[in-house]
Amino acid sequence: MSFKAVDRQRLFVGGSWAEPDGGYYAVVDPASEETVGWAPEASRDQVHAACAAAREAFGPWSGTSPQERAAVLGRAADIIRGHLVPYAELAQAETGATTGTARGMQVGVGAARFRRYARVEPAEWAIPPQINEAGPIGKAGVMGALAVRQPVGVVTCITSYNNPWANPAGKIAPALAMGNTVVVKPAPQDPLSVYRMAEALEAAGAPPGVVNVVSGRAVEVGEAAVSSPDVDMVSFTGSTAVGQRIAEVCGRDMKRQLMELGGKGAAVVLDDADLGSAVAGIGTTFSFYSGQICTAPTRVLAQRGVYDRLVEQLAAYAERLKVGDPRERDTVVGPLISAAHRDRVEAYVELGRKEGAVVVAGGERPSLDTGFYVTPTLLADCTNDMRVAREEIFGPVVVVIPFDDEDEGVALANDSDYGLIDYVWSGDVARAFRVARRLRAGGVGVNTVGRNMEAPFGGFKRSGVGRDVGSYALHAYSEVQAIVWPG
């Protein structure tokens, strides 16, 4: 089976595929600049209809057993895995991901997340009972207390463009496992993959209204999905600026929120670090989603004893990476998501030059006939007050800042509006862990950029609110209820 372009994609509302009120818009392949397919533009009324359908479905769905819900998720995982190649080809066409990334990190991780939440153990969402010693009227009034988890209700899931499989699956699967229903508003750049996910869930037996998908480029589509009175919670992955606007609406209506926002990950490279390991880890910023990922180690803080060698090796690493058609087997760096985003990244590189940074690698467009490409770019001799060091660029651009001692390195790392994922490289593991504990970030990688998919994921400061992944996602998509009785 191979990928075929979608002519006219319809909305998925209340278990039916509906024509969009707002017509269609082109989804563009960022490598070839050709049209992948036509995505539907929902109206405000259609978004509200999706939210109402999710509300109607919530009661019956939340009343099913966890085993029944798990069976649906398991069948969806099997369907996604069975369509791995065509689904990956579509994701690649929408996002410009390399073949390995599209198959493994996009569709493969998406299927794995459905499979993971099809195997939820009761212990993962139970809370140990607590018995108090004496009630308000003395020992005769001893009360028993049990805390249990209940589904939140209707969850709006607004997803990012950099991974149209793993990111939505990481929201939808745990939300459904806990008995919630969902309205998914995918990123406008690559929504077609999310509709394939909805098809898989429909085929797996998800009842009408349990999963709804509405897309559109207009701001009002997302606004309606957030502000609908039928929505109890919003789960958002995207920029901090948009997250702030969503949080304001949630705050007015007292809606639960889970926010995974921007990042400017600091990579603290100490003078006893294995530079080969550090370069390979930091180099993922150039190749992994072409730097369009919030967890990337984009702000390198190098102790002066290794600064020159690290800059030299990072520059050599960047220059060896092949930039080009993501469908070619030896391509490492694909395109950015759009021409507008390419222009934005290039503007940051030019800003870095004006701020006094030295471009030691990249900084220009490759000589390719089509596609929204930027070569891997390394900016050296930076200071932490430069905009290129403080703002999220979201592209294959790394800045390097020198520091003298450990305390200065920690201070520079923490001097950021963001706090999602930081990194430490040191040959002394005890030293690395000591530094990691001092970093104000939701996660810290020690001598690695790898992630444990059961560890809590989320940020400090402007990088977000809440935690998900693994069992933590089950907690995020649930409310705690206390039940008390006489002892």
Side-chain angles (χ1 to χ4, degrees):
M1 185 181 295
S2 62
F3 158 65
K4 294 182 180 178
V6 178
D7 184 21
R8 293 284 190 272
Q9 174 64 59
R10 293 178 293 172
L11 304 168
F12 189 55
V13 177
S16 299
W17 296 92
E19 293 292 332
D21 291 342
Y24 299 87
Y25 66 92
V27 176
V28 176
D29 184 327
S32 68
E33 300 185 46
E34 297 176 351
T35 297
V36 177
W38 297 87
E41 183 80 35
S43 66
R44 179 178 292 271
D45 287 344
Q46 287 179 311
V47 177
H48 284 164
C51 298
R55 170 61 62 200
E56 184 177 355
F58 171 66
W61 178 250
S62 62
T64 61
S65 69
Q67 292 77 15
E68 291 177 81
R69 299 196 293 265
V72 171
L73 298 179
R75 289 192 294 268
D78 291 341
I79 291 168
I80 294 168
R81 178 61 65 181
H83 293 76
L84 174 66
V85 172
Y87 283 172
E89 289 176 350
L90 173 58
Q92 184 174 57
E94 289 192 285
T95 66
T98 61
T99 300
T101 295
R103 292 186 181 185
M105 299 306 298
Q106 293 187 342
V107 181
V109 171
R113 285 182 167 173
F114 278 102
R115 175 61 58 194
R116 188 258 181 263
Y117 293 105
R119 295 173 177 163
V120 171
E121 296 294 331
E124 289 187 306
W125 47 282
I127 301 174
Q130 299 181 15
I131 306 296
N132 63 333
E133 289 295 328
I137 56 174
K139 292 185 177 181
V142 170
M143 305 290 286
L146 176 66
V148 297
R149 294 199 179 274
Q150 298 279 13
V152 178
V154 175
V155 181
T156 286
C157 303
I158 303 179
T159 63
S160 59
Y161 70 71
N162 59 353
N163 195 324
W165 279 94
N167 185 255
K171 299 177 185 297
I172 296 169
L176 296 187
M178 283 304 305
N180 302 285
T181 56
V182 299
V183 176
V184 187
K185 195 280 178 185
Q189 297 92 334
D190 50 9
L192 302 179
S193 289
V194 182
Y195 284 104
R196 303 289 79 73
M197 190 180 299
E199 287 179 351
L201 283 159
E202 181 185 32
V210 169
V211 177
N212 307 268
V213 184
V214 289
S215 58
R217 295 177 297 180
V219 173
E220 70 172 13
V221 177
E223 288 179 344
V226 171
S227 63
S228 167
D230 285 310
V231 170
D232 302 293
M233 174 180 174
V234 177
S235 176
F236 172 71
T237 299
S239 72
T240 296
V242 175
Q244 285 178 301
R245 295 199 292 272
I246 291 173
E248 289 172 359
V249 176
C250 290
R252 287 197 299 269
D253 295 333
M254 299 303 292
K255 294 180 180 180
R256 289 280 301 277
Q257 54 185 289
L258 178 61
M259 299 282 178
E260 196 272 281
L261 307 177
K264 191 70 176 180
V268 181
V269 183
L270 298 167
D271 52 11
D272 59 353
D274 178 338
L275 291 192
S277 172
V279 168
I282 295 164
T284 60
T285 302
F286 302 131
S287 56
F288 195 44
Y289 299 127
S290 301
Q292 299 169 112
I293 185 165
C294 53
T295 59
T298 55
R299 187 168 55 110
V300 178
L301 309 174
Q303 199 160 8
R304 291 193 187 275
V306 295
Y307 176 83
D308 290 336
R309 284 182 291 148
L310 183 63
V311 169
E312 179 182 358
Q313 291 182 33
L314 276 172
Y317 184 96
E319 290 169 349
R320 288 196 301 268
L321 302 177
K322 180 189 173 182
V323 181
D325 186 346
R327 295 169 180 83
E328 295 181 3
R329 295 186 63 180
D330 58 345
T331 293
V332 180
V333 182
L336 298 179
I337 193 67
S338 67
H341 187 52
R342 176 191 59 194
D343 294 346
R344 178 180 180 274
V345 172
E346 289 177 333
Y348 267 110
V349 175
E350 183 58 30
L351 174 64
R353 287 191 174 99
K354 292 178 180 177
E355 290 182 309
V358 177
V359 180
V360 294
E364 73 286 331
R365 293 185 190 181
S367 55
L368 297 167
D369 294 333
T370 62
F372 311 129
Y373 295 93
V374 172
T375 55
T377 300
L378 184 67
L379 304 178
D381 296 345
C382 296
T383 59
N384 208 45
D385 60 350
M386 292 179 177
R387 284 181 59 192
V388 290
R390 302 199 69 81
E391 299 176 14
E392 186 176 38
I393 298 174
F394 220 60
V397 180
V398 171
V399 304
V400 190
I401 301 168
F403 69 90
D404 290 315
D405 57 29
E406 189 176 301
D407 287 343
E408 183 187 9
V410 170
L412 287 171
N414 289 336
D415 181 16
S416 173
D417 291 334
Y418 298 104
L420 187 57
I421 305 290
D422 285 346
Y423 304 88
V424 180
W425 269 274
S426 172
D428 182 340
V429 174
R431 182 189 189 193
F433 271 82
R434 181 179 69 242
V435 171
R437 291 292 300 274
R438 297 176 66 191
L439 298 179
R440 297 292 296 165
V444 181
V446 172
N447 293 328
T448 183
V449 293
R451 281 185 50 201
N452 182 321
M453 299 310 291
E454 291 296 315
F457 180 73
F460 289 11
K461 298 181 278 188
R462 291 166 61 92
S463 285
V465 177
R467 297 292 182 271
D468 67 355
V469 180
S471 299
Y472 298 90
L474 300 171
H475 302 169
Y477 293 100
S478 62
E479 295 276 20
V480 178
Q481 180 186 62
I483 301 174
V484 179
W485 67 94

